Amino acid sequence: MTTHPHESVTFGEAPLAIEDILALSQRHARPLLQADAEYRERIARGARFLDTLLHKEGVIYGVTTGYGDSCVVAVPLKHVEALPRHLYTFHGCGLGQLLDAPATRAVLAARLRSLSHGMSGVRLELLERLRDFLAHDILPLIPEEGSVGASGDLTPLSYVAAALSGERDVMYQGVRRSSADVHRELGWQPLVLRPKEALALMNGTAVMTGLACLAYARADYLLHLATRITALNVIALQGNPEHFDERLFAAKPHPGQNQVAAWLRQDLALDAPAAPLHRLQDRYSLRCAPHVLGVLADSLGWLRSFIETELNSANDNPIIDGDAERVLHGGHFYGGHIAFAMDSLKTLVANVADLLDRQLALLVDTRYNHGLPSNLSGAQADRAMLNHGFKAVQIGASAWTAEALKQTMPASVFSRSTECHNQDKVSMGTIAARDALRVLQLTEQVAAATLLAANQGVWLRGRQAVTAPLPPALAQMHQALLADFAPVIEDRALEHELRLCLTRIGERHWRLHA
């Protein structure tokens, strides 16, 4: 995926939105740094102020002292320059899978946004190099495990600090390379991090916040997709569309819940003449879909607020106020807001998995699917006994749903006392964000399975003698799906098609609701 040069995101005094981080993570925008002289001077003032304190032999945490519990250990001025390298070196102990490319870009963008506040005491050159890493797509290889979410994402962000310094490995042009080699190839000098710069890079919430931005965007699309799947299933199961009546929802006016009901009315074209009703009340997974999905819809606003406030904050320690010439020691590296947002999001999303799994269970069961073939098989009658259609897909969706539900235990309540009881209450925000992404992955798998099954159900319903035409939005979606996924007549392995459907979901391939 190549950068679109006409679209850009500027790091500086103006706040950024989740969509800016998403655009950078997907290489849909190029990063810029605010370039006016007044802003550049403001950044420089913070770095100069730190230098004056060094000359005065001021005591500054992480600059003239050791780190964490070692803050009581004074570091002589002759060793101050060596301290940043030691910080990122001893934190080079991450394990687990490496963050993928979009996640790594999101992390770089989140860290650059925080440092571009001008409250961290770093040089303009450091901001420019972070921007250049994003612009040239030089991606530090960051293990995803090893952060407790306070004192920030120290271990994973040490891989960013080391890469900027020409150490450890990066991914560049699709190849794993040493950072030193990439610097040489581009004619760059690796940075020699100044006092406070390694701490400024590492002692913050960039990993959990970058991941949270990606999780939010995926959950937002999933909300629309689950609504569209529900509409398809109302058709496939011959459901009662009056469950989504506007006057009904006016009686319980949660805005997001009402929005989901409105999308369903739009998808089902309920302003058209209604078909005869087949039953008074559908099962809850259809009838209560706006109430389930509406909780996610109503939560997106405060989730965005938590994530974007964290994104647009200076979240390292100490804070360097170059204008007032003050060093402010605090705990802004604590990721509690992201931890709570991600713990909440994974529960909201797992409920979407549970809803779609229940709809799929109705589709395959002749006791509840109102005249569709067993397991949605499209086989002719003389071969029906051999074919099992979506039977195994429903089993798989049940497994993915169970795993998603199991992942909803909140990470934030598992705080651990670490680092000689200096970090004695920590956020676990990065683990919560990783959990949320895993629940999203599992729920997207359930959505892919239910979407293909719903489309099969709509196709099967269309073969029946008396069938009303599909509403326009659903007819368009049905045809688009049939172009990629042929109806299942004789049994075939569906793994490839499920994976293709997941790719389409990741690409936000289908235009859904305005």
Side-chain angles (χ1 to χ4, degrees):
M1 193 175 293
T2 57
T3 300
H4 297 279
H6 60 281
E7 297 179 10
S8 61
V9 173
T10 299
F11 292 85
E13 295 170 322
L16 299 184
I18 288 171
E19 288 75 16
D20 295 316
I21 304 304
L22 185 66
L24 290 164
S25 77
Q26 296 175 336
R27 300 280 286 161
H28 288 168
R30 60 192 177 104
L32 302 176
L33 191 62
Q34 187 173 330
D36 61 273
E38 183 178 349
Y39 174 74
R40 296 171 69 90
E41 171 56 24
R42 180 164 167 260
I43 296 297
R45 270 200 303 274
R48 285 200 305 269
F49 169 56
L50 270 182
D51 285 343
T52 64
L53 289 178
L54 286 174
H55 294 312
K56 297 174 184 176
E57 299 192 31
V59 177
I60 311 165
Y61 168 72
V63 177
T64 60
T65 75
Y67 298 110
D69 180 64
S70 302
C71 67
V72 296
V73 179
V75 176
L77 286 180
K78 66 180 180 179
H79 293 315
V80 162
E81 297 286 346
L83 197 58
R85 186 171 187 275
H86 278 265
L87 179 64
Y88 67 70
T89 297
F90 77 78
H91 270 289
C93 57
L95 292 177
Q97 298 295 314
L98 298 175
L99 294 180
D100 65 17
T104 305
R105 296 181 195 118
V107 167
L108 293 176
R111 200 74 214 118
L112 178 53
R113 173 65 199 111
S114 180
L115 298 181
S116 67
H117 261 283
M119 300 290 287
S120 300
V122 302
R123 293 167 293 164
L124 188 66
E125 289 83 355
L126 176 58
L127 304 185
E128 291 172 335
R129 187 56 56 85
L130 270 173
R131 175 206 61 196
D132 293 343
F133 264 47
L134 272 172
H136 290 266
D137 207 30
I138 304 166
L139 304 179
L141 298 181
I142 304 174
E144 65 180 14
E145 296 174 9
S147 172
V148 292
S151 183
D153 289 314
L154 289 166
T155 288
L157 287 175
S158 76
Y159 290 80
V160 175
L164 294 172
S165 304
E167 300 185 32
R168 302 187 196 166
D169 287 349
V170 298
M171 190 67 70
Y172 180 58
Q173 297 181 339
V175 178
R176 182 170 181 155
R177 306 268 303 277
S178 76
S179 177
D181 285 347
V182 173
H183 276 80
R184 276 192 294 271
E185 183 174 315
L186 294 173
W188 297 350
Q189 278 295 113
L191 293 179
V192 178
L193 296 180
R194 298 276 295 143
K196 177 63 169 64
E197 288 185 335
L199 191 62
L201 283 163
M202 294 166 53
N203 193 11
T205 61
V207 176
M208 68 181 81
T209 303
L211 297 183
C213 289
L214 301 185
Y216 178 96
R218 287 172 68 173
D220 185 48
Y221 186 76
L222 181 65
L223 169 67
H224 290 267
L225 181 62
T227 304
R228 176 59 54 81
I229 293 169
T230 298
L232 288 167
N233 280 331
V234 170
I235 299 296
L237 292 165
Q238 294 184 329
N240 181 353
E242 291 194 10
H243 292 323
F244 315 122
D245 186 275
E246 185 173 6
R247 290 162 298 177
L248 172 66
F249 278 86
K252 190 175 183 182
H254 292 295
Q257 177 179 283
N258 274 262
Q259 179 63 80
V260 173
W263 287 335
L264 286 166
R265 291 194 299 272
Q266 174 187 325
D267 283 354
L268 294 165
L270 294 189
D271 54 348
L277 295 182
H278 292 267
R279 70 198 60 82
L280 189 63
Q281 293 192 148
D282 289 323
R283 286 171 172 79
Y284 287 9
S285 60
L286 289 185
R287 192 193 338 161
C288 298
H291 306 77
V292 177
L293 298 174
V295 184
L296 174 57
D298 276 311
S299 299
L300 288 175
W302 71 261
L303 287 168
R304 176 185 287 275
S305 175
F306 274 28
I307 295 166
E308 289 186 345
T309 299
E310 190 71 33
L311 172 67
N312 290 294
S313 69
N315 48 62
D316 57 311
N317 174 57
I319 294 297
I320 307 299
D321 186 346
D323 295 334
E325 296 193 341
R326 294 186 65 194
V327 178
L328 305 166
H329 293 88
H332 285 351
F333 47 70
Y334 190 88
H337 283 78
I338 296 294
F340 183 75
M342 293 296 98
D343 277 345
S344 302
L345 182 65
K346 66 190 184 187
T347 300
L348 293 162
V349 169
N351 270 287
V352 177
D354 202 25
L355 177 79
L356 297 179
D357 175 60
R358 296 299 82 211
Q359 291 181 9
L360 178 52
L362 296 179
L363 283 169
V364 299
D365 194 329
T366 55
R367 294 173 296 174
Y368 309 113
N369 66 16
H370 306 293
L372 293 175
S374 179
N375 297 303
L376 300 176
S377 173
Q380 298 297 321
D382 62 340
R383 296 186 59 80
M385 74 292 295
L386 297 175
N387 283 278
H388 293 79
F390 280 75
K391 179 187 282 288
V393 171
Q394 191 271 324
I395 295 170
S398 184
W400 305 324
T401 300
E403 187 173 348
L405 294 168
K406 183 177 73 69
Q407 293 279 346
T408 57
M409 177 71 75
S412 55
V413 299
F414 285 92
S415 173
R416 313 293 300 150
S417 183
T418 66
E419 206 263 308
C420 303
H421 298 291
N422 175 54
Q423 301 173 15
D424 61 344
K425 175 71 176 101
V426 293
S427 76
M428 312 302 279
T430 308
I431 295 172
R434 288 173 38 229
D435 283 350
L437 288 170
R438 176 60 178 156
V439 171
L440 277 158
Q441 179 185 32
L442 290 162
T443 303
E444 287 164 353
Q445 291 172 194
V446 178
T450 309
L451 177 59
L452 297 190
N455 206 54
Q456 175 85 356
V458 169
W459 176 78
L460 288 166
R461 195 66 76 187
R463 296 201 307 176
Q464 295 178 350
V466 181
T467 304
L470 285 174
L474 300 187
Q476 183 179 16
M477 184 84 171
H478 182 53
Q479 291 305 314
L481 288 166
L482 288 177
D484 277 334
F485 311 104
V488 178
I489 299 173
E490 287 287 312
D491 285 347
R492 63 177 186 266
L494 292 172
E495 178 191 347
H496 172 75
E497 288 161 84
L498 288 166
R499 291 189 183 278
L500 175 59
C501 192
L502 284 169
T503 298
R504 295 283 189 257
I505 293 171
E507 296 168 342
R508 296 161 178 77
H509 177 73
W510 301 290
R511 291 185 178 275
L512 299 171
H513 312 99

